[in-house]
Amino acid sequence: MSTQPPPSPRHVLEHTFGFADFRGPQEAVISTLMAGGDALVLMPTGGGKSLCYQIPALARPGCGVVISPLIALMQDQVESLRAAGVRAAFLNSALPLDEAQDIETQLLHGELDLLYLAPERLLQPRTLGLLQRIQLSLFAIDEAHCVSQWGHDFRADYLHLNCLHEQFPNVPRIALTATADQRTRGEIARRLDLESARHFVSSFDRPNIQYRIAQKNNPRRQLLRFLRDEQQGNAGIVYCLSRSKVENTADWLCQQGFAALPYHAGLPAETRAEHQRRFLREDGIIVVATIAFGMGIDKPDVRFVTHLDLPRSVEAYYQETGRAGRDGEPATALLLYGLEDVVKLGQMVAGSEGSEEHKRGERSRLNAMLGLCEITSCRRQALLRYFAEELPQPCGNCDTCLEPPETWDGTQAAAKLLSCVYRTGQRFGAAHVIDVLRGSNNEKIHRFDHHQLSTWGIGADLATAEWRGVVRQLVVRGYLEVDGAAFGALKLTEACRPLLRGEESIQLRKQPESVSRQERQPRPAAADISAEDQPLWEALRACRKRLADERGVPPYVVFHDATLREMVSARPRSETELLGITGVGDSKLARFGAPFLEVLQDFDAQPAD
């Protein structure tokens, strides 16, 4: 057992993790824990949450205990910490008994700085008894939104974590999450006994992510164009709502020449683990997944997240898109959605076993998500406003900023549509109502005698796609609602009366006639490597891959892309210069410095053309 006094937080930051300075509220959070206080931290993905507990765990006497919901996340974090020279371990059901016993022995002998546990393991009487016998530096509750029954990743075991306050009253606690609206924040604080803790709420803005949302118009073609034009060779995630769509999309992408792997809860555990391992350790892998994939994925160089179906809520959308660009480099979030998504999600809410209050909350969150899709102003401003944060100016890095949508006076069209919904009895979905408006002569129209209605054929001037846009926007604005329990039937709301009476006008977003310029044209990444530097960049990546494969870890555990980019730019020639590169600490310099310096020196020695 070491008798050396713990290092200062700044020493740990610089020498263990290789960073020159703290970011945002990190220093204030760490100071709170160093003084023995509790903290509740809301910080976006990629904002440096883990350092908020890893640094004080190393700078305070004893072992820090991290409660984490996923085995994969624990393994990932521990691999990265060990590469940085930190004495870290995890205890979970995946470990053989002898390995688990070895880790418990290390814990009792004071040979660990950080121990990761699942909440189920922590709450076992044996584990709590073990922790009572050692000196603890802190408890960190990661992914704290799992405690919220309003949240999208609820875990029942998180509800019992208030026992830490009762059984270890003198050990500081920190709860962290990247996604929580104000109601969820309050629930986290209440359920974890953190109402008197200091609360740190960082900006939710992820300026490096370009948000783009488009209506579905042959979504496979849209996805293929996006991948081929902009994301060739990049790692990314494609989210789908159903398991069958996940598997079909992954198969189709493989046929198109991409390395695509399916991931959903219905696959065998070993298949899911292998696909996740490949995604973390190989370059250019695309995972096609349901929301079962992603929480705790610590891969920094995910360049895109695409949704082929509408997410259930703005919280889910924010968290899922936040898995892109954790390294701060440019990334893209592309969402393709249609009215059929609204119908399907509405049916899922209607058929759920939750209380009426829960269903109302789900419908409200779905409407907010649909509203984000249909707005004509800056997406990022609307997204941040949902989390009670104001962005003073439009972001300039979302589709509505880069290519402002056209609007048109939709007052007359809206009145026609609302009147048609009323005259067909508020019993039919959008497709049938649009057929009536456009004067269709199909069998269903004649079966219900809807060709006799005064609204039959009065909307022939607009295409079906344009009418579907009108429907979506009237749903978003509260003039119509979709009845999920009645197979997506459109129903009028009280709000539509002034519009029907001609007392109100409405501007609607114009539906694009073709694929937008933003989809046609590739967006160059600001951090692209120049053609001249490309050979060195590839050589450094190859060196990293070799070192990672030798150790059985993902490449980013050795160094992040941002660190390699800085090497290309700065061309360090000595260990001292290499130590000045962001992300290179003492331990990584000792382990990996020589091979990278050798690559850099080889390129220095090459004669100029």
Side-chain angles (χ1 to χ4, degrees):
M1 185 186 299
S2 173
T3 57
Q4 291 277 329
S8 71
R10 182 161 289 279
H11 186 278
V12 175
L13 176 77
E14 295 174 357
H15 292 270
T16 301
F17 296 105
F19 295 110
D21 214 340
F22 293 105
R23 282 195 289 162
Q26 284 178 332
E27 191 166 18
V29 174
I30 290 166
S31 296
T32 298
L33 293 166
M34 291 299 295
D38 297 330
L40 173 59
V41 176
L42 283 89
M43 189 180 287
T45 303
K49 286 191 304 297
S50 57
L51 291 182
C52 289
Y53 60 82
Q54 290 171 348
I55 288 177
L58 298 176
R60 282 173 60 86
C63 179
V65 174
V66 184
I67 297 95
S68 177
L70 294 176
I71 289 175
L73 174 58
M74 294 182 206
Q75 293 172 331
D76 198 37
Q77 294 257 9
V78 167
E79 283 176 350
S80 295
L81 286 165
R82 286 176 174 168
V86 176
R87 303 178 303 171
F90 57 82
L91 279 174
N92 60 41
S93 56
L95 282 180
L97 180 61
D98 57 337
E99 286 188 38
Q101 289 174 336
D102 284 347
I103 290 167
E104 289 182 4
T105 301
Q106 291 173 42
L107 184 66
L108 290 171
H109 289 171
E111 295 169 359
L112 290 179
D113 302 308
L114 278 158
L115 176 67
Y116 284 73
L117 296 168
E120 303 88 340
R121 183 69 171 240
L122 171 80
L123 294 168
Q124 292 175 5
R126 186 176 184 281
T127 305
L128 290 169
L130 192 68
L131 297 180
Q132 293 281 4
R133 297 167 58 189
I134 66 167
Q135 185 174 21
L136 295 168
S137 58
L138 56 81
F139 284 109
I141 302 166
D142 204 5
E143 308 289 351
H145 60 272
C146 291
V147 79
S148 171
Q149 290 178 299
W150 295 105
H152 50 285
D153 287 319
F154 174 64
R155 292 279 290 264
D157 292 288
Y158 267 66
L159 294 175
H160 304 293
L161 294 179
N162 58 347
C163 75
L164 299 177
H165 183 51
E166 297 160 5
Q167 296 194 32
F168 304 91
N170 298 318
V171 178
R173 293 169 302 138
I174 175 173
L176 309 101
T177 181
T179 315
D181 60 15
Q182 288 181 310
R183 174 170 57 179
T184 305
R185 293 175 208 173
E187 190 176 1
I188 292 170
R190 187 174 66 258
R191 292 189 181 278
L192 295 179
D193 285 334
L194 288 170
E195 288 172 302
S196 59
R198 281 194 68 185
H199 289 203
F200 298 89
V201 181
S202 296
S203 170
F204 281 81
D205 192 12
R206 296 285 306 282
N208 61 311
I209 297 178
Q210 184 183 93
Y211 296 105
R212 284 151 57 181
I213 301 177
Q215 288 93 33
K216 288 181 182 177
N217 176 18
N218 194 331
R220 281 194 171 181
R221 184 186 65 193
Q222 289 170 286
L223 176 62
L224 190 60
R225 181 179 289 113
F226 171 69
L227 295 178
R228 284 183 173 164
D229 288 356
E230 302 181 42
Q231 303 294 340
Q232 200 74 46
N234 287 341
I237 305 171
V238 177
Y239 283 111
C240 304
L241 203 55
S242 69
R243 296 176 183 180
S244 60
K245 188 169 180 178
V246 162
E247 295 193 3
N248 292 337
T249 303
D251 287 345
W252 173 75
L253 283 174
C254 288
Q255 292 166 18
Q256 304 304 314
F258 295 93
L261 303 171
Y263 190 105
H264 59 71
L267 292 171
E270 56 271 21
T271 302
R272 295 200 307 274
E274 171 63 12
H275 289 184
Q276 180 161 305
R277 187 197 67 79
R278 287 190 61 192
F279 180 66
L280 292 174
R281 299 189 181 185
E282 296 179 25
D283 291 328
I285 298 289
I286 298 172
V287 167
V288 185
T290 60
I291 57 171
F293 179 81
M295 185 169 64
I297 293 300
D298 202 23
K299 185 176 173 66
D301 57 348
V302 176
R303 296 272 63 87
F304 67 90
V305 169
T306 299
H307 286 85
L308 293 187
D309 297 302
L310 189 71
R312 297 167 187 254
S313 67
V314 177
E315 291 96 331
Y317 173 73
Y318 177 82
Q319 180 143 26
E320 288 154 18
T321 56
R323 287 158 191 155
R326 292 172 63 105
D327 54 7
E329 301 288 332
T332 302
L334 174 65
L335 163 60
L336 304 175
Y337 78 105
L339 189 63
E340 63 273 22
D341 298 335
V342 184
V343 173
K344 185 183 292 185
L345 288 170
Q347 290 171 338
M348 290 169 69
V349 171
S352 71
E353 297 178 0
S355 65
E356 267 312 306
E357 182 188 11
H358 180 75
K359 289 180 181 180
R360 276 196 303 274
E362 288 294 299
R363 282 192 291 270
S364 173
R365 281 187 280 276
L366 177 56
N367 287 338
M369 184 64 232
L370 191 57
L372 179 66
C373 294
E374 289 290 351
I375 60 167
T376 56
S377 57
C378 173
R379 304 260 192 219
R380 197 181 311 273
Q381 284 181 315
L383 184 60
L384 294 177
R385 193 174 298 123
Y386 185 85
F387 293 106
E389 181 179 342
E390 289 295 326
L391 187 67
Q393 301 293 329
C395 73
N397 192 29
C398 69
D399 54 353
T400 53
C401 284
L402 293 164
E403 190 178 356
E406 295 180 56
T407 59
W408 60 291
D409 185 347
T411 309
Q412 189 178 29
K416 289 178 181 179
L417 179 76
L418 294 169
S419 180
C420 193
V421 170
Y422 177 75
R423 293 183 186 281
T424 53
Q426 303 182 73
R427 297 168 46 213
F428 298 89
H432 182 75
V433 172
I434 292 169
D435 281 347
V436 174
L437 283 167
R438 287 182 44 76
S440 172
N441 276 304
N442 65 35
E443 182 272 333
K444 189 174 180 181
I445 294 280
H446 284 271
R447 184 174 7 126
F448 290 101
D449 282 333
H450 286 168
H451 61 297
Q452 304 289 348
L453 295 176
S454 61
T455 52
W456 182 76
I458 64 171
D461 56 323
L462 294 183
T464 298
E466 291 174 298
W467 276 119
R468 292 181 77 82
V470 175
V471 173
R472 277 197 309 272
Q473 292 179 73
L474 292 183
V475 170
V476 167
R477 300 190 189 195
Y479 297 108
L480 282 174
E481 60 186 18
V482 178
D483 188 346
F487 305 101
L490 297 176
K491 295 185 180 296
L492 304 180
T493 70
E494 280 297 313
C496 76
R497 289 184 185 276
L499 203 54
L500 280 169
R501 292 187 190 128
E503 299 166 2
E504 194 176 278
S505 62
I506 184 171
Q507 289 289 312
L508 296 177
R509 182 188 184 114
K510 198 169 187 178
Q511 303 308 303
E513 294 178 15
S514 60
V515 180
S516 73
R517 292 193 304 275
Q518 282 303 311
E519 287 183 78
R520 284 200 300 267
Q521 295 178 358
R523 179 174 68 100
D528 272 353
I529 301 295
S530 69
E532 184 184 346
D533 288 333
Q534 199 69 37
L536 174 56
W537 166 250
E538 294 299 339
L540 291 171
R541 279 164 53 90
C543 177
R544 178 178 66 175
K545 185 74 165 63
R546 176 175 57 78
L547 292 169
D549 289 347
E550 287 171 1
R551 289 158 177 77
V553 298
Y556 60 82
V557 168
V558 177
F559 288 126
H560 284 197
D561 277 0
T563 300
L564 298 193
R565 290 184 191 278
E566 197 173 328
M567 288 184 196
V568 171
S569 174
R571 305 288 178 109
R573 291 170 174 75
S574 66
E575 289 194 351
T576 302
E577 290 180 1
L578 189 58
L579 198 56
I581 299 290
T582 303
V584 182
D586 294 350
S587 176
K588 287 195 174 183
L589 178 68
R591 296 175 186 218
F592 310 128
F596 282 94
L597 284 172
E598 189 176 326
V599 171
L600 289 158
Q601 286 160 5
D602 284 348
F603 271 80
D604 270 352
Q606 290 177 8
D609 291 338

